[in-house]
Amino acid sequence: MYEDAEVECEAFRGRGRVFCIASAGDTARRLAEEHEVVACDINPAQLAYARRRASGGPPETGDAERAMSVARAFMPLVGWTRRVLRAFLALSDVGEQVAFWTQHLDTRRFRAGLDLVMSPTILRAVYAPQLLSSLPANFGQILKRRLERGFARHPNALNPYAQSLLLGVTVDERQPRAAQNIEFVEADAACWLESCPPRSFDAFSLSNILDGAESVYRTRLGEAVRRAATDNAVVVLRSFAEPEPGLKNNRAEGDRSLLWGIVDVRSAHAL
């Protein structure tokens, strides 16, 4: 998962029961170290994988990661050899990282290649149209700015998401262990939350569930979250979209996975 669960850990500190989109299971597993977690996903294959991961199973390669592997195979053509990338990822001084990025990685060939790979024509072969509708125009240029923002803030040598993104290497910050206190639920998130008793959860990790969602579903999910939330509950909601002007509590810069435009941390009752 390219979602930095430490954002949730900080936002949910001192709170109890958490509702989490299961996805690949990484966030649920991390949150289960300190919280009781309900991990929900509508996709049975995705939920089964998250369950295996929570039981201590190894990461597995999915369609999106296979597509990224193909893109990585072309990196040497823009000068991004594994030797150069390893040198970059070994850095821990963000000033040195910015200088290295400018001198060795931010090349004309890289910018052209990123624009091509992130074009709607290419992405359409991998991702659902609903998700693509949430991406901003000129996504390649925007993604480059997000990478630069992250490299200027987070030490590469301590960032497992940078290692995974650029080299395809999975690095666990913590020793993997089986998570005992996760309940896995195969269901639509809004539907399941509507069935819960009121005030059931102190926090919600919703991934980017609303990217590409219709307005009717956005309204429904918001109502379901507010109903299931305790008085001081907090929600973390991600999006690939660019933030609207004036968005408060956007933690995208603090998310080490480097990709998000929005990591919205707010009261669940303000969703």
Side-chain angles (χ1 to χ4, degrees), residues 1-2 23-24 26 45-46 49-50 52-53 57-72 126-127 164 167-170:
M1 290 176 66
Y2 288 94
S23 190
D26 300 54
Q46 193 76 53
Y49 175 48
R52 292 195 297 274
R53 290 283 286 140
E60 301 172 25
T61 302
D63 290 343
E65 188 58 41
R66 277 190 284 270
M68 293 176 68
S69 296
V70 172
R72 291 187 195 100
V126 182
Y127 296 102
S164 180
L167 292 179
V169 176
T170 300

Side-chain angles (χ1 to χ4, degrees), residues 189-198 224 227:
C191 182
W192 194 82
L193 287 170
E194 289 167 345
S195 72
C196 292
R227 177 183 174 278

